Amino acid sequence: MRTEDLLAAIATGLWRWDSVSGAVSYDAEAARLVGLPAEPVTLPEAAARACFHPADWLEIKAIVDLAVAEGTLAEARLRIVDEKGTVLRTVRTRSRPIARGGSEDGYYLLGTLQEVPDPLPGTSAAGPPITGDWRRNREAFLLDAGRALAEAMSTAEVLRVAAGLSMPGFSPEGLAVFGVQGERISVIGHHGPRPGADHPFHDIALGTDYPAAEVVRTGRAVYLPTPEEYRGRFPAAWSLGRPRKRRSWAFLPLIVAGRTIGAWMAGFAHPVSFSPDERSVLTTIARMLAQALSRTALQETERELADGLQRSMLPASKPDIPGLTVAARYVPTGGGLQVGDWYDVIGLPSGRTALVIGDVQGHDVHAAGIMGQLRIAVRAYASEGHHPDAVLSRASRFLAGLSALDGPDGPDGPDGRYGPRFATCLYMEVDPVAGTLDIARAGHPDPAVRLADGTMMIRPTAGGLPLGIDPDTDYPTTRVVLEPGETLLMCTDGLIETGGHDLETGWDRIRKVFERPATLTDDPGALPSHGLGSDDLEALADSLVQAVHGPPSHHTTGPLADRREDDIALLLIRREAEVCLVGPGSAPVRRTAVTVAQAEPERIAGTRQQLRDMLHDWADPDQVESAVLMLSELVTNVLVHTDGDALLVAEVSGRHGSRRLRLDVADSSDELPHRRRPGELASSGRGLLLLEMLADNWGVDPRGDGKCIWYELYEASPNARPDPAADGSAPRA
């Protein structure tokens, strides 16, 4: 007898569903059972769906998805309806997925249909009905669990979320997550009354006769609804583990991208039948748990890689420079690998020390590799004894050569290679004895100096393009004198611009923190403390970072619409204060020195701004503008009428409210200036007239190698200004 005839004799039909085309095929008996003419037929999915009750169709779809995932039978009851929605009969279907030949994506679902007789009066159909409230609770639980697992940022958090899951209607009494390493599986997290590391299945071989090991080997879930079934299927595991406090167990594989990364066990203190709905919930949780564990493991690996790479790129110990105190910070805040900024302290053959800070474009793997190579190259060039300008020139050619090897295409280009990258850098050669800093800058923010009285000034320095853009770029060197008691800050743009700030507002934010340690009392005439120890410099570094990352930073965001997040690297250098600078009865001194070369007339604008910063708390704003105007006139005269450079030294001394500004501009020319009477249309000849009109005192001092023109302004009115002799330097007219 044929199979079809045998199935027809017991009123059982055959059907098949193609997952690729969606076509559903019925034999004659199956067609009769679903309300169609009793003959073989193939229908599209929409027509086949019309034969079933809508709620039952959705239920069978979920059960089929579960069977496909687990490789098990799908069994359900379906109500057959006519065109008006009247229920004709109830059928039971059992089906199994079968892979399509030559296709990895699709499958056939082959099953049977059999009519279910109506229950006798006083009895109910087998199996508890699935109510709408239960479904809604299940959906809400899955949404909450999915959100909690998605927000977990570490493996420990994922395991903590998994331990706290309370499933609707059948909450487990104990949970365990098994991880796979080579040929062994071990418990990486658990919840409930489970033994510790001394449990026989805490760390076992993959071939052990244990449910979790079988799940990992086969990739199929194992459901054990009763202790008898557990003992019958896994007698060795039952006798060793003695899990007699629980009545049901579910072991599910944790699969990501077709690879089994572990297993999840849920143990129940009450009997659970593991109906299709219950298995569906458990399978969904296992999928979300596997994805969360895989994601956090990858993030932890990236963080470990980034931290290890960054640690290898930073100095191994705190730099020790005689006469200087140094504090450094590196805070990764950007995305990706969080690697791109770096700093270094390099001992030079001359006995001096080089300090370098830089920022490579991007935060991906390529940027991390470039950062490491560039740091090594800068250290090598510096160790050879090259001056700052030569170090940056060579580093720029080196980086341009790396970009040439990468090619012109970006990461999404046709050849899939990374495009050219650039880097900003600030290189500084320090002479701690003389206090001189020779600075070369490649597109990097200027350094800032906190003067002896606590005032912050940005030190404009000459610079060139970022490294790697033009291999033939020159990087001029600027010499800055760091006076005893002064502190210099060099940082990457992450400290300035993070939080939606631009350069102007970012420096204003830094100024509030940088100047704070000098403001010890409310008395304007009180002396600030200059005996700051290394701990105070470390505290200042922490305060600068806190201003960007701490709670106050969220209330003082910058004017930009987007919050630019970036890594932060900073170096603080303080020259040890001399006792004679600040003693009893003396006043703090602000001093700055700038050289404006013949080939750099554009630096006059930066010098004017530097003087404004130096006089930011001067009592009379008109005097500040007069001081800036006279500075511009004196420096311009040197560049126009001589062949040498202009050396400018500005000094503010005295107590707040009665201070004196003295500004010297020296050059190498022996020709002394003389007064002229320019006409109304003359474009020059007014320099000395301006000094005579605006300065409280001025003069010209001949020197052996040139001359010095100076002027003085007093903060108080002429009637209240201090006796020049009291300061030890009487002005000369």
Side-chain angles (χ1 to χ4, degrees):
M1 178 180 292
R2 295 186 309 162
T3 303
E4 292 83 354
D5 297 335
L6 178 61
L7 293 174
I10 58 175
T12 301
L14 286 174
W15 63 274
R16 187 180 72 168
W17 177 65
D18 187 344
S19 67
V20 176
S21 65
V24 181
S25 300
Y26 298 112
D27 67 0
E29 182 62 19
R32 183 189 69 81
L33 290 174
V34 299
L36 300 174
E39 58 186 24
V41 64
T42 298
L43 301 175
E45 185 174 337
R49 184 171 61 244
C51 300
F52 300 95
H53 194 283
D56 295 346
W57 178 263
L58 295 177
E59 191 70 25
I60 188 61
K61 287 284 290 181
I63 294 174
V64 167
D65 291 341
L66 178 64
V68 171
E70 296 182 347
T72 57
L73 287 175
E75 183 174 0
R77 297 190 179 201
L78 302 169
R79 287 169 290 180
I80 307 299
V81 297
D82 58 15
E83 296 178 354
K84 298 180 180 180
T86 304
V87 177
L88 301 177
R89 64 180 61 86
T90 301
V91 298
R92 181 178 62 187
T93 177
R94 301 184 69 187
S95 58
R96 179 183 295 275
I98 301 174
R100 294 168 55 94
S103 175
E104 298 180 356
D105 298 330
Y107 56 88
Y108 293 113
L109 199 66
L110 184 62
T112 62
L113 284 176
Q114 191 174 31
E115 186 172 359
V116 178
D118 295 332
L120 296 175
T123 64
S124 60
I130 304 301
T131 65
D133 289 341
W134 193 93
R135 284 199 183 95
R136 284 191 293 271
N137 292 338
R138 181 186 66 180
E139 293 170 358
F141 161 73
L142 292 177
L143 287 174
D144 291 341
R147 182 175 62 253
L149 290 171
E151 293 175 353
M153 299 304 296
S154 66
T155 300
E157 290 183 25
V158 171
L159 296 176
R160 193 158 50 246
V161 170
L165 294 177
S166 180
M167 303 178 192
F170 65 113
S171 296
E173 178 260 352
L175 300 170
V177 177
F178 298 84
V180 181
Q181 285 192 347
E183 294 297 320
R184 303 191 67 81
I185 64 173
S186 60
V187 176
I188 61 175
H190 64 85
H191 171 68
R194 284 189 54 86
D198 57 344
H199 191 269
F201 302 111
H202 185 272
D203 184 10
I204 60 176
L206 194 57
T208 305
D209 184 24
Y210 183 64
E214 179 176 311
V215 166
V216 173
R217 290 195 306 268
T218 63
R220 301 282 181 85
V222 172
Y223 297 102
L224 304 172
T226 63
E228 291 74 22
E229 186 164 351
Y230 193 145
R231 183 170 53 247
R233 291 186 59 180
F234 303 96
W238 178 268
S239 61
L240 289 176
R242 300 182 180 275
R244 294 184 176 88
K245 291 184 178 180
R246 295 170 185 154
R247 310 305 299 169
S248 299
W249 299 262
F251 293 83
L252 296 100
L254 301 176
I255 301 175
V256 177
R259 182 173 63 92
T260 302
I261 64 172
W264 176 49
M265 186 278 293
F268 300 86
H270 56 278
V272 178
S273 62
F274 297 115
S275 66
D277 290 280
E278 293 166 342
R279 296 204 313 270
S280 176
V281 171
L282 292 170
T283 302
T284 303
I285 291 296
R287 289 174 179 171
M288 293 190 297
L289 183 59
Q291 293 291 338
L293 287 172
S294 176
R295 172 180 54 80
T296 55
L298 179 60
Q299 291 176 345
E300 289 172 351
T301 300
E302 289 182 350
R303 284 196 294 268
E304 184 178 355
L305 172 63
D307 292 343
L309 178 60
Q310 192 62 54
R311 284 193 299 269
S312 67
M313 293 295 107
L314 299 178
S317 60
K318 183 178 178 180
D320 184 14
I321 307 175
L324 294 179
T325 303
V326 180
R329 292 291 184 275
Y330 173 77
V331 182
T333 62
L337 280 180
Q338 301 181 344
V339 175
D341 296 7
W342 90 97
Y343 68 86
D344 203 355
V345 181
I346 309 168
L348 303 178
S350 61
R352 298 183 177 184
T353 302
L355 303 176
V356 58
I357 191 167
D359 183 0
V360 176
Q361 173 198 12
H363 294 91
D364 50 27
V365 176
H366 193 54
I370 288 179
M371 184 267 287
Q373 296 179 78
L374 183 59
R375 175 183 178 271
I376 294 173
V378 170
R379 174 173 279 270
Y381 297 141
S383 299
E384 290 177 352
H386 297 292
H387 292 294
D389 55 343
V391 170
L392 291 192
S393 295
R394 285 166 167 76
S396 183
R397 285 194 291 270
F398 171 80
L399 185 54
L402 290 181
S403 300
L405 293 176
D406 286 327
D409 298 309
D412 300 324
D415 60 359
R417 294 180 295 181
Y418 289 95
R421 296 294 179 97
F422 63 84
T424 65
C425 185
L426 184 69
Y427 182 92
M428 179 186 302
E429 185 175 315
V430 181
D431 184 350
V433 177
T436 58
L437 311 174
D438 293 330
I439 303 173
R441 188 170 57 87
H444 204 81
D446 285 305
V449 175
R450 189 178 72 188
L451 303 179
D453 69 340
T455 303
M456 189 195 90
M457 293 179 56
I458 299 173
R459 293 283 192 180
T461 57
L465 294 173
L467 304 178
I469 293 182
D470 183 358
D472 297 324
T473 300
D474 293 327
Y475 297 95
T477 301
T478 302
R479 171 161 291 187
V480 173
V481 178
L482 191 65
E483 299 291 346
E486 294 183 345
T487 302
L488 181 137
L489 166 67
M490 47 196 299
C491 64
T492 57
D493 57 359
L495 184 68
I496 304 171
E497 297 180 344
T498 294
H501 286 272
D502 54 21
L503 281 176
E504 181 178 356
T505 61
W507 277 121
D508 288 341
R509 175 175 59 178
I510 292 175
R511 183 188 302 276
K512 296 176 183 177
V513 179
F514 206 26
E515 293 183 344
R516 188 182 303 157
T519 307
L520 302 179
T521 68
D522 296 330
D523 181 7
L527 295 179
S529 172
H530 301 284
L532 298 178
S534 59
D535 293 340
D536 299 291
L537 200 64
E538 295 290 339
L540 176 58
D542 291 335
S543 298
L544 290 170
V545 175
Q546 186 75 3
V548 177
H549 287 278
S553 67
H554 301 289
H555 305 288
T556 56
T557 54
L560 302 182
D562 60 329
R563 290 178 58 91
R564 295 187 54 193
E565 305 300 330
D566 201 356
D567 299 353
I568 292 175
L570 67 90
L571 277 169
L572 288 170
I573 312 142
R574 189 188 66 246
R575 190 178 179 195
E576 299 298 341
E578 296 177 357
V579 178
C580 63
L581 282 179
V582 181
S586 63
V589 176
R590 298 180 191 176
R591 183 182 295 110
T592 183
V594 180
T595 299
V596 180
Q598 282 282 338
E600 300 174 338
E602 66 277 0
R603 293 200 62 196
I604 298 178
T607 306
R608 289 197 297 262
Q609 184 59 45
Q610 192 168 351
L611 183 60
R612 284 194 177 94
D613 293 341
M614 191 175 185
L615 302 176
H616 73 281
D617 57 350
W618 197 262
D620 187 355
D622 292 336
Q623 279 190 311
V624 175
E625 294 304 318
S626 298
V628 171
L629 177 59
M630 289 187 288
L631 175 149
S632 182
E633 182 69 23
L634 294 181
V635 175
T636 302
N637 283 341
V638 172
L639 299 185
V640 172
H641 300 294
T642 73
D643 296 329
D645 302 335
L647 174 61
L648 180 148
V649 178
E651 180 179 285
V652 177
S653 60
R655 297 182 182 276
H656 193 279
S658 59
R659 292 173 292 184
R660 182 193 69 178
L661 165 67
R662 180 184 173 99
L663 187 139
D664 297 9
V665 177
D667 62 77
S668 57
S669 173
D670 295 332
E671 183 179 354
L672 299 178
H674 56 275
R675 287 186 179 89
R676 290 186 288 173
R677 298 295 179 182
E680 293 182 358
L681 300 180
S683 59
S684 62
R686 295 186 174 87
L688 297 185
L689 293 179
L690 286 175
L691 291 177
E692 199 169 76
M693 292 172 57
L694 301 177
D696 289 328
N697 221 337
W698 68 278
V700 179
D701 294 341
R703 294 182 176 177
D705 55 351
K707 65 179 179 297
C708 172
I709 305 177
W710 57 269
Y711 69 81
E712 291 179 346
L713 287 177
Y714 302 105
E715 192 172 21
S717 62
N719 296 330
R721 60 186 169 189
D723 182 6
D727 291 322
S729 58
R732 298 178 299 275

